[in-house]
Amino acid sequence: MIENKSVLTVLNLKDACGFLETISRDYRKIVEVIKMKHIYERTAQYAKMGCLIGLVMYISLVIIFRDSLLKDFELHITMGWTLVILFSVAFMFQQAANKLPIEQKTDTQQFSSEFPLKELNYQSDVSIIPRSYLVSHTGERLYSISPTEEQPVVRRLNAFPFIRKGMLLPVTYDVVTMDGQLVSKFTIANKLKFMQIEVYDHNQVHLSTAVLPIFSVKNRAIVFDSNREKTHQMEAKSMYGDIDINDFNGKRLASYRFGMFPYATHPAFELQGMNVHVSLAEGLSNIEKLTFTALFYYWTANQS
């Protein structure tokens, strides 16, 4: 009788563990889906915008060239189907977003001067003005990188890729936590003979300067500290952009491999075709982390 009770107890424990594991797995899936809510909403928003802009432009063209376009029924049908498809996509993504719980803002529980990341995972947002997120391995958004709001004109011009790379005008980007705390700023500027990235902390104190060629088959850079002393020098291994950053003793500080993202099969990243992963060594200083964040953003996340 005692043996039977022991067997039943063991079976009950196994069932309980299995039940808890199922709940945990389902909870993780729910959390991952919640993180996709903002992507669904943005996609719906821009699909609606594209539908309205297309409709207004088409009506304007028909009015201007009414003699030739007014009786072109084939063109009307084609345009009508295009607008219906765009509106359907917007409606579908909006309905999907509405069914998901509201995403809570991430509070990093860190002071603005701290940057505790052990790796850099860049994920681009769906936006006209470029915005990228530094996310965790589960897709949790930790930091946002976007053109500073202190330069409203330049910020809007960043919709054009040539502007966002700093080729024509200096562009300043803010690195902020998801609860709005400024962590760092970096400015990309064309100095005619070379590109320059200046990195600052949250108090606008100059931390480092990276110098890069304007045009090069392989990504290259030299990093100087605030006293203009050279601290790092790096060059891509190939034209595909594989980059290793070593110190002067040969120790690996950061590494990037083109097209390799270790969390690609995770549900939080399945909607994104291109994510960027940079591995960081242990014990990096705050200045090194912020400098590498700006450098790899310029090389990878900012090139779309």
Side-chain angles (χ1 to χ4, degrees), residues 45-73:
Q45 177 183 351
Y46 286 109
K48 290 176 185 177
M49 189 182 300
C51 185
L52 291 174
I53 292 175
L55 180 61
V56 171
M57 289 182 63
Y58 184 68
I59 292 175
S60 301
L61 289 173
V62 169
I63 293 174
I64 295 173
F65 303 102
R66 55 183 175 275
D67 294 337
S68 58
L69 295 181
L70 196 58
K71 296 182 181 180
D72 191 344
F73 297 105

Side-chain angles (χ1 to χ4, degrees), residues 15-28:
D15 291 340
C17 290
F19 178 70
L20 290 174
E21 184 178 351
T22 301
I23 292 176
S24 177
R25 184 170 58 250
D26 291 342
Y27 174 76
R28 287 196 299 269

Side-chain angles (χ1 to χ4, degrees), residues 199-217:
V199 183
Y200 301 86
D201 68 5
H202 64 288
N203 290 322
Q204 308 286 347
V205 176
H206 180 220
L207 301 178
S208 62
T209 300
V211 175
L212 311 91
I214 296 178
F215 299 105
S216 178
V217 176

Side-chain angles (χ1 to χ4, degrees), residues 284-301:
L284 291 182
S285 67
N286 216 33
I287 295 176
E288 288 175 317
K289 289 181 182 180
L290 294 175
T291 301
F292 296 163
T293 298
L295 263 176
F296 283 104
Y297 178 82
Y298 176 80
W299 278 330
T300 61

Side-chain angles (χ1 to χ4, degrees), residues 215-286:
F215 299 105
S216 178
V217 176
K218 297 181 180 180
N219 291 325
R220 292 183 288 118
I222 300 175
V223 179
F224 301 88
D225 62 16
S226 57
N227 297 319
R228 298 182 180 275
E229 293 184 5
K230 185 166 72 172
T231 58
H232 303 89
Q233 185 170 346
M234 61 217 71
E235 181 176 354
K237 291 186 173 182
S238 67
M239 62 183 296
Y240 295 106
D242 294 349
I243 303 169
D244 291 330
I245 300 179
N246 301 324
D247 63 12
F248 293 126
N249 296 321
K251 178 185 176 182
R252 183 70 49 80
L253 302 179
S255 181
Y256 162 74
R257 293 293 178 266
F258 175 79
M260 294 186 64
F261 190 75
Y263 315 117
T265 58
H266 195 284
F269 300 103
E270 288 178 348
L271 288 179
Q272 294 281 351
M274 183 64 179
N275 297 288
V276 174
H277 171 79
V278 179
S279 60
L280 300 177
E282 293 287 342
L284 291 182
S285 67
N286 216 33

